[in-house]
Amino acid sequence: MPGDRKKILVLFAHPAQERSEVNKPLFTACLQHCDVTAIDLYREYPTFHINIDKEQQRLKEHDVLIFMFPLYWYSTPAILKQWQDLVLEYGFAYGAGGHALKGKTFLCAATAGGSETAYQKEGYNHFSIRELLQPLEQTASLTGMNYLAPFVLFSSRNAVEEDRVNAHVEQFRHLLTALADNTLDIEAASSMPVLPANISDLINAHPHD
């Protein structure tokens, strides 16, 4: 129904948090948001023994799923792949009777050490962030989720010295609130290469279906 608040599940994966300058404050923002359940996967599963039933129940109880991670070799850190392999089972997430995720919203909140120009066809990495994350986009398609463009901080290694972290975290808070309020323009957010630096550009005046 219009106006119903959405519950957000954030799965945070950073294998070297002692060196994190951007993801840690992003995760802290999640912990402080009343509509967000924020899970530190490496803390919760230090031996990678994922509790499948627990994770599937979390998915059932939330409307929005966010993977939060630093880009590692053009993909997610290992524990997020382990989580996908075990939790997104046939009969639960896809296949016969596998409709648990249908209609939910999914996006990635990622940091990339390289500049945005490096993630272009003619750039150093030859592909955009959205192109590199296409396996996750196809996962969303297979499971019936609405896939949004990733929320990305480029040149994250220089973000602190360039004083860009606080503004990025604040925009992420706006994104979380818009998702919870159901005021984010999902259609526009689905069609972009990455979400804009100013999230207010995607916020509708009123909640929608």
Side-chain angles (χ1 to χ4, degrees):
M1 295 291 295
D4 286 354
R5 296 192 69 76
K6 302 296 184 182
K7 297 178 65 177
I8 302 168
L9 176 63
V10 175
L11 299 181
F12 173 53
H14 198 308
Q17 292 184 36
E18 68 280 0
R19 300 200 303 269
S20 173
E21 296 180 326
V22 180
N23 282 276
K24 283 176 69 174
L26 285 171
F27 185 64
T28 298
C30 294
L31 293 172
Q32 296 169 344
H33 200 290
C34 62
D35 298 296
V36 176
T37 302
I39 306 300
D40 181 342
L41 288 179
Y42 278 102
R43 179 180 291 274
E44 184 129 339
Y45 301 113
T47 60
F48 277 52
H49 292 302
I50 309 291
N51 185 327
I52 297 172
D53 290 339
K54 183 178 182 179
E55 295 304 313
Q56 289 182 347
Q57 185 60 35
R58 281 173 171 160
L59 289 172
K60 291 177 182 178
E61 293 172 352
H62 292 81
D63 309 294
V64 180
L65 173 62
I66 299 177
F67 283 2
M68 179 186 292
F69 58 93
L71 199 68
Y72 270 42
W73 281 104
Y74 310 113
S75 185
T76 67
I79 200 167
L80 267 176
K81 184 60 167 66
Q82 176 84 338
W83 184 94
Q84 295 169 68
D85 291 344
L86 297 178
V87 176
L88 303 182
E89 293 181 310
Y90 182 92
F92 172 78
Y94 71 102
H99 308 304
L101 304 183
K102 186 175 181 180
K104 297 182 186 294
T105 298
F106 175 50
L107 73 145
C108 296
T111 56
S115 66
E116 187 166 6
T117 57
Y119 290 93
Q120 306 292 339
K121 181 178 180 180
E122 303 302 326
Y124 181 81
N125 294 306
H126 304 301
F127 297 94
S128 70
I129 290 284
R130 180 150 186 171
E131 288 171 332
L132 291 169
L133 296 178
Q134 280 183 345
L136 292 174
E137 186 165 355
Q138 174 56 20
T139 296
S141 177
L142 181 65
T143 59
M145 291 190 287
N146 301 310
Y147 184 81
L148 306 187
F151 181 74
V152 184
L153 182 67
F154 293 98
S155 301
S156 59
R157 295 189 187 96
N158 305 323
V160 171
E161 61 189 72
E162 294 173 354
D163 196 25
R164 292 186 287 116
V165 176
N166 290 340
H168 186 72
V169 172
E170 187 61 27
Q171 288 303 311
F172 187 60
R173 288 195 184 97
H174 290 327
L175 174 60
L176 293 173
T177 298
L179 287 165
D181 290 345
N182 205 21
T183 56
L184 191 76
D185 188 334
I186 297 296
E187 183 176 352
S190 299
S191 63
M192 299 174 164
V194 295
L195 294 182
N198 188 355
I199 294 299
S200 62
D201 293 342
L202 292 176
I203 295 177
N204 294 311
H206 304 285
H208 50 77
D209 289 316

